[in-house]
Amino acid sequence: MKIATGDMIGDIEEDVVIRPPRPSRPGSGGGGNRNNPNGGGGDGRSEDGSSGPEEFSPDKYKILTWFLLVVVVMTFGGLIAAYIVIATNNVAEWRPSALPKQLWFSTLVIIASSIAYHFAHRATIAEKQFAAKKWFLVTTGLAVTFLVSQVLAWFELMQRGLYMRGNPYLAFFYVLTAVHAVHVIGGITALSSVLLRSWYPTENPLVMNHRKSLAQVVGWYWHFMGALWIVLFVLLGFWK
């Protein structure tokens, strides 16, 4: 019996092939990792295909926005400085005119849009997604209304026969309001992007963090556009 048992064990040992474990690739499934202990494809992405936490960096939005705001400040700073210098020189060609009535309406609209964006941002931070979408939609609508009001103001001046040629005040009026309108169009594009991202609710924390960061930096830009318009409105209306 001992001999037979030994022969059987020998036969089994000859048939068994011991294979070394296959080394797992970094990030491959099966072995699991710290972020995904259950395995199943640790490619740095979540189940819905969104980028992992290591790829999400809200700082790049902040840096880009601050750079853009610095450029805007330099642009309008130069124009406003030139306006003040010429306005205080009392040149004969400087002939101020009354502001179009639409500009008063534009001022109220852009202030209202800034308030609406404040509520949208607060709702985003609180993760009240339906309320955030509603307020973003209101803000975007008010922004478009502001732009339409600006165009109507230009038409009113043209109907009164007031053009840029021969009058530095009107030249500054058209240039300052037009350059601001161009930046408002950029703001509307950013608002539309935030609105579209907030259109459908989500429970993904990475997506929510992305929305919060984007809402923050777009809010900086939009509030700055509102403050800048108030400066231009006071300058063109009361510093003549």
Side-chain angles (χ1 to χ4, degrees):
M1 292 295 295
K2 294 181 179 179
I3 296 175
T5 304
D7 293 337
M8 292 176 62
I9 295 175
D11 294 338
I12 294 173
E13 290 178 348
E14 291 178 359
D15 293 336
V16 173
V17 179
I18 302 176
R19 298 174 181 171
R22 184 176 61 181
S24 60
R25 294 177 298 173
S28 62
N33 52 51
R34 184 173 60 184
N35 296 329
N36 189 9
N38 296 325
D43 60 350
R45 295 182 178 272
S46 59
E47 294 181 357
D48 61 352
S50 59
S51 299
E54 65 276 7
E55 297 182 5
F56 175 66
S57 177
D59 290 338
K60 64 181 180 180
Y61 295 110
K62 297 179 181 180
I63 294 173
L64 179 61
T65 304
W66 279 114
F67 175 78
L68 181 60
L69 292 179
V70 169
V71 173
V72 174
V73 169
M74 294 176 63
T75 301
F76 281 93
L79 291 172
I80 291 174
Y83 176 94
I84 293 174
V85 169
I86 298 177
T88 54
N89 284 339
N90 296 322
V91 295
E93 294 82 5
W94 187 265
R95 298 188 302 274
S97 60
L99 290 179
K101 295 179 181 180
Q102 283 80 5
L103 293 190
W104 293 90
F105 177 73
S106 299
T107 304
L108 294 177
V109 168
I110 201 166
I111 292 174
S113 70
S114 187
I115 295 173
Y117 195 95
H118 172 72
F119 286 117
H121 185 209
R122 286 185 57 182
T124 302
I125 296 300
E127 299 187 4
K128 299 178 180 179
Q129 300 183 53
F130 177 78
K133 181 178 71 172
K134 178 186 68 176
W135 285 112
F136 280 131
L137 187 61
V138 172
T139 306
T140 306
L142 290 173
V144 174
T145 303
F146 172 83
L147 202 60
V148 172
S149 179
Q150 293 296 92
V151 174
L152 294 177
W154 296 332
F155 282 151
E156 180 181 337
L157 287 178
M158 293 177 184
Q159 289 176 354
R160 288 158 54 183
L162 300 175
Y163 300 95
M164 298 176 59
R165 182 178 300 178
N167 190 339
Y169 171 81
L170 290 175
F172 274 108
F173 178 90
Y174 281 109
V175 170
L176 287 171
T177 55
V179 174
H180 183 267
V182 170
H183 287 82
V184 168
I185 292 174
I188 292 174
T189 303
L191 288 171
S192 301
S193 175
V194 175
L195 176 62
L196 291 176
R197 290 176 181 271
S198 304
W199 197 261
Y200 296 104
T202 181
E203 296 181 358
N204 190 322
L206 293 178
V207 176
M208 281 305 306
N209 288 337
H210 186 267
R211 292 181 182 181
K212 292 175 183 179
S213 298
L214 190 61
Q216 182 184 38
V217 296
V218 173
W220 291 348
Y221 182 86
W222 190 248
H223 293 317
F224 185 82
M225 285 295 106
L228 179 60
W229 171 252
I230 293 175
V231 172
L232 296 180
F233 178 75
V234 173
L235 188 71
L236 293 170
F238 303 98
W239 194 325
K240 301 180 181 181

